Structure formats: C-alpha cells, structure tokens
Amino acid sequence: MAEGDWLAIDDGADVGPQVIFGMDADGRCTLSVGPGLMAIGLGHNELVGQSFFDVYRDDPLATEAISKALAGERFHGEREFQGRRLALHFEPLVDHEGEVTGAVGVATDVTEQRAREAAAAADRRRVEGLASDLSRFKALVEASPDFIAIASLDGTVEYLNPGGRALIGMPGDTDVRRTTIADYLTPEGLVASVEVEQPAVVRDGHWEGQTTLKRWASDDSIPVAVASFLMRDISTGEPFALATVQRDISERVAAEASLRDLVEQRSALLTRLVDAQDAERARIAADVHDDPVQACAAVDLRLGLLRRRLREHAPDLLPELDGLQESVRGATDRLRALLFDLEPPDLHEGVTPALVRAAEEVFEGTDVVRSVDGTGEPEVPESTRAVAYRIAKEALTNAFKHAGATHVRVLVSGVDDGLQVLVEDDGVGPGDGVESSLPGHRGVSSMRDRATLAGGRCSVEPRPEGGTRVSLWLPGTH
C-alpha cells in the first residue's frame, strides 16, 4: 500500500467493531481510530506518538506482527485480548522507491462471529451425527426380519419395513400409505388392538403383549409378540405417531401347544395309572381279606378250641399254644394294617379329610400329637390328590416307624398354581440314610419317584429346630 493512501480515511469514520491504526517506520503510532477503542478503554488517537513496541512489549503476537509489517511483510492472525477475539491484519507502507515508511493495521472484533461459527460447526456436527445415526437406524430397521411399522395417530400407516412386508406376504410395490392398522390385523387381533393395545398406549405411552397379524390377501393368521409405543416430538414432547415392533412367534406357539398336549397326555396317563393302581390295590385287598385274613381268623378260632382240650388233657402245653396263638393274632393285625394301606382313599372331599383319617389310623394307640391343616387346599384333579395322599401317608408312616416323634403336623395349601403338602415332625431327623431308606424298602426314593412322575417334586430335609420336614409340590390344573 502506497504511503498516504490509508491517511485519507476520515478520523471519525465509522469502521464498525474495529480499530484502524498506523505507524511510522520506527513503530510510532500515527493514527488510532475506530469504535473498537472503547472496548479496550482507549480514546480516539490516544496512542498517537507512542511506540507500539512499548505499548505491546508484553504481547509477543502484537510485537511479531508489527515487526513483520515494518519488515515489508503482510500479517494475518487472531488473538485473545481482554476477553474478546480480535482478527489482526497488517500491511506495510512503501514509498515510490520501495522503501518501507511505516505500516497500517486493522484489528477487528470477531468474538460474536467466531461464536456463531463455532455454534454453526457444532450444529453441523450434530446434524451429521444425527444423519449418521439415522442411517444406521434405517439400516437396522430395513435389515430386521421383524414387522416394524409407523402409523399416524389416526391409524394411517406411514411406513412398513421390508421384513414386515415379507412376514405378511405383502408385494414390494404396495403403497402402505393407503392402508390403516386394521388392514394388518385378524378380526380377533383388531378387537384386542381397539380394546386393549391402543388404550394402553394412549394411557401409558407403550404396550407389550401378543396378537395375530393377517397374511396379505388371505385369512391366515400369524401369532406375534408386540411392543408398541408412542413417538414424541423431541422439542415439544407431543405424540405424533404410533410405532410397533412385532415378532413372529409361530414356532413358540406351536411348541407351547405341543407342550400342553404332552401335559394333558401325562395327566391322562397319570389318572389311568392311579386308577389302575387303586384297582389293583382293591383287588389285592379283597384277596387278602377273603383268604389270608379269613384263614388266620379260622386258625385263631381252632386254636381257641384246642386250648380248651389242652386245659383238660395236657395243661403243660398251654404256654406253647399261647405263643402260637399270639403269633397268629399278630399276623392278623399286620394283614389288617396292610388292608388299610391297600384300601383306596375317599378323595372326593379333598386330600385333607383323607389325611386326617390316615393320621388317626397311623398313630392310633400312641401319644403322638398330630394335626392336619388343610384350610388352604386348592382345587386339583383327583389323580393329583391320590398321588399327594400316598406320598403324605408314606411320610406319616415313616414318622411313626423311624422318627420317634412326639408331634407331627401336616399342612395342605396352594402354592404356585399347585398343591403343596408339608409333613413335619420333631423326631430324630432324616439322618444320613435318607437317600437309601431301609433295606428292602423304597421309602423316600419311592416318594420322590411318585412326585416326579406326576410332574412335581418331593424333598426330605432336616428342620432347623430338629426333626424332619417332607415337602411335596404337585402341579394343579393342567
């Protein structure tokens, strides 16, 4: 810039948020004007006559800029000054012979401009990030085999992903914007949507459950697991659309149906097994009653007649006869106890009354205090009652024969949609032999096998306070 060109600037010119200054070849200020002076606490031409090297001796960037300008170089840069961002521009001044005679500079306050640029850059990065997220989200939705759809609040469908189209068999060129939610649902699915799903989404903002989709252009149905929710405006929070993600659960439904069939078959088999066992028990009981018990009774009668004859003719043989007669009577008592074990119980009123009768029979003639509480007994099939009765009765018998208990408590209740029976005693406890039971007897293993066969479980454990707890659980309704 030729010397004098910049001096034509009117001293009072409004140059905006700037400071225009000039200096001679020694760096002494010859001009200092502009509204930017006020921001740094200086007046119009207040620096004239002062050396910029002195004014900015503690400012390396300013002294570097001044030195370069006076050396004939242009300088562009930015600096922080008193909390403001300034853009600096220096131009050397040369005479007609090319000698540097001074320099002119412009300091422009670009604080707000840089802030706007930074905000714009942040917005740009945010938009780019959102665009990237949207691209990834779109790729995810487009690749998903699930039925993913968006509908406006009036029920008009706005979007359906390719996986959803494939699931229901919709042609790829079908315009989903001409469809509504009702077009995708079976009659029962539509009823559930109107009466359950939509009210729940409006009330809670989301809903999860099951429904049935309709195959396109057919009456076939597809069972699906549903997660539906409101889409809300990020700024206002107001809902503007309804989104749904639905997964085909045909295989799971089929597996559940097969499982239900198996459970029903098992229940039927268990019922037939229990009936067959009871029939066999009844037959054996009848045979025992009609043959061994009657035979023992006849022997006991004949021994009584023999006693009278021996008393007259051979009294020294009476002690031997007494032992023989006692053995016959003991055998008769054991056979009658066997009849009790074999006799099918009356379970029409529930398992509790039957266990009350069993406890009285098992502990008859003893000082054992027993109680049976069945106030919480649930309704279960009679076959389940029969299994529970047999296992609980075995537990009572074990308490009588092996535990040495003085108190026995039976609790019948409903737990986890099934029948639970607890048999507790204050005896010696199950001990280490609980798994094997007595030689020649199945005992505990038989109880567990019965429970497992019925789809339940049975455990025999020591009580913390002493004694034994038998815990039985059988499934209720099937």
Side-chain angles (χ1 to χ4, degrees):
M1 178 179 288
E3 183 180 2
D5 291 350
W6 57 274
L7 294 176
I9 299 176
D10 184 353
D11 286 352
D14 184 6
V15 294
Q18 296 175 319
V19 176
I20 299 177
F21 49 86
M23 68 191 77
D24 60 19
D26 296 324
R28 191 173 303 278
C29 179
T30 58
L31 175 68
S32 176
V33 297
L37 289 170
M38 295 178 60
I40 59 175
L42 296 174
H44 180 69
N45 278 329
E46 184 177 335
L47 294 177
V48 170
Q50 298 184 45
S51 171
F52 281 127
F53 288 109
D54 292 335
V55 173
Y56 297 109
R57 60 178 175 271
D58 296 327
D59 189 337
L61 181 64
T63 55
E64 177 189 0
I66 294 169
S67 298
K68 284 187 175 183
L70 295 179
E73 300 179 25
R74 288 183 174 181
F75 177 86
H76 298 278
E78 291 189 11
R79 62 179 293 206
E80 297 290 335
F81 185 75
Q82 296 187 359
R84 309 296 291 177
R85 185 76 175 175
L86 302 179
L88 302 179
H89 176 74
F90 282 82
E91 285 278 349
L93 297 174
V94 297
D95 58 17
H96 296 296
E97 296 179 356
E99 293 293 327
V100 176
T101 60
V104 64
V106 178
T108 304
D109 187 344
V110 295
T111 305
E112 283 73 19
Q113 178 183 351
R114 294 295 181 261
R116 289 192 296 271
E117 290 173 351
D123 288 342
R124 185 167 54 254
R125 289 192 297 271
R126 186 164 52 252
V127 170
E128 290 172 352
L130 289 173
S132 177
D133 291 344
L134 180 60
S135 177
R136 287 193 291 269
F137 177 74
K138 182 179 180 181
L140 173 66
V141 171
E142 294 284 304
S144 174
D146 295 336
F147 181 99
I148 302 177
I150 299 174
S152 60
L153 297 180
D154 65 1
T156 302
V157 176
E158 298 179 354
Y159 170 80
L160 177 60
N161 70 324
R165 291 174 180 264
L167 178 61
I168 63 174
M170 173 186 282
D173 58 354
T174 303
D175 186 359
V176 298
R177 293 171 297 180
R178 296 180 179 273
T179 64
T180 66
I181 294 174
D183 294 323
Y184 298 84
L185 298 172
T186 61
E188 59 272 18
L190 181 59
V191 171
S193 176
V194 173
E195 296 183 356
V196 179
E197 178 182 0
Q198 295 180 37
V201 171
V202 171
R203 181 183 65 251
D204 304 325
H206 60 89
W207 180 81
E208 293 183 7
Q210 290 186 203
T211 188
T212 48
L213 288 174
K214 180 177 64 175
R215 291 198 182 276
W216 201 250
S218 77
D219 294 329
D220 295 339
S221 63
I222 307 168
V224 288
V226 181
S228 296
F229 51 91
L230 284 175
M231 299 179 68
R232 299 181 180 274
D233 186 275
I234 297 177
S235 301
T236 66
E238 291 298 315
F240 66 88
L242 172 67
T244 185
V245 179
Q246 305 187 16
R247 173 160 295 180
D248 184 359
I249 56 172
S250 299
E251 292 185 0
R252 190 183 83 187
V253 170
E256 290 174 349
S258 298
L259 181 60
R260 284 193 298 271
D261 289 342
L262 289 174
V263 170
E264 291 174 0
Q265 292 175 25
R266 186 198 68 195
S267 178
L269 287 172
L270 178 62
T271 299
R272 291 199 294 271
L273 176 61
V274 169
D275 290 343
Q277 288 176 337
D278 285 345
E280 182 65 12
R281 287 172 177 272
R283 185 189 65 78
I284 295 173
D287 290 345
V288 170
H289 181 271
D290 293 342
D291 191 3
V293 172
Q294 296 301 326
C296 285
V299 170
D300 187 45
L301 180 60
R302 293 174 70 89
L303 288 175
L305 296 175
L306 181 59
R307 169 182 291 278
R308 288 196 294 271
R309 296 180 65 181
L310 289 178
R311 187 181 299 116
E312 297 174 1
H313 303 289
D316 56 317
L317 296 178
L318 285 176
E320 186 174 347
L321 179 64
D322 289 340
L324 179 59
Q325 193 167 21
E326 185 63 29
S327 296
V328 171
R329 288 174 180 172
T332 302
D333 290 341
R334 288 193 295 273
L335 286 172
R336 293 188 186 279
L338 177 61
L339 288 176
F340 168 71
D341 287 337
L342 292 173
E343 189 68 28
D346 182 5
L347 298 170
H348 294 297
E349 296 180 1
V351 71
T352 302
L355 288 177
V356 170
R357 293 188 292 271
E360 293 299 324
E361 179 73 21
V362 170
F363 298 108
E364 183 180 5
T366 71
D367 294 330
V368 176
V369 179
R370 59 268 188 187
S371 66
V372 180
D373 182 359
T375 54
E377 179 179 344
E379 285 291 331
V380 296
E382 190 163 332
S383 59
T384 301
R385 295 177 183 173
V387 174
Y389 172 81
R390 293 295 181 192
I391 295 175
K393 185 180 174 185
E394 180 72 21
L396 292 173
T397 302
N398 288 342
F400 169 66
K401 290 182 177 180
H402 312 302
T406 59
H407 292 78
V408 176
R409 173 175 175 261
V410 180
L411 176 63
V412 182
S413 60
V415 174
D416 296 336
D417 296 325
L419 174 68
Q420 177 176 276
V421 181
L422 297 179
V423 180
E424 299 179 328
D425 67 61
D426 62 352
V428 297
D432 296 333
V434 67
E435 294 293 338
S436 59
S437 75
L438 296 177
H441 297 271
R442 298 192 61 206
V444 172
S445 62
S446 176
M447 296 160 61
R448 289 176 174 159
D449 289 345
R450 285 177 179 270
T452 302
L453 182 62
R457 54 185 179 270
C458 178
S459 64
V460 180
E461 301 171 333
R463 299 170 66 214
E465 58 271 45
T468 303
R469 174 185 292 117
V470 176
S471 177
L472 167 68
W473 181 87
L474 299 173
T477 57
H478 301 296

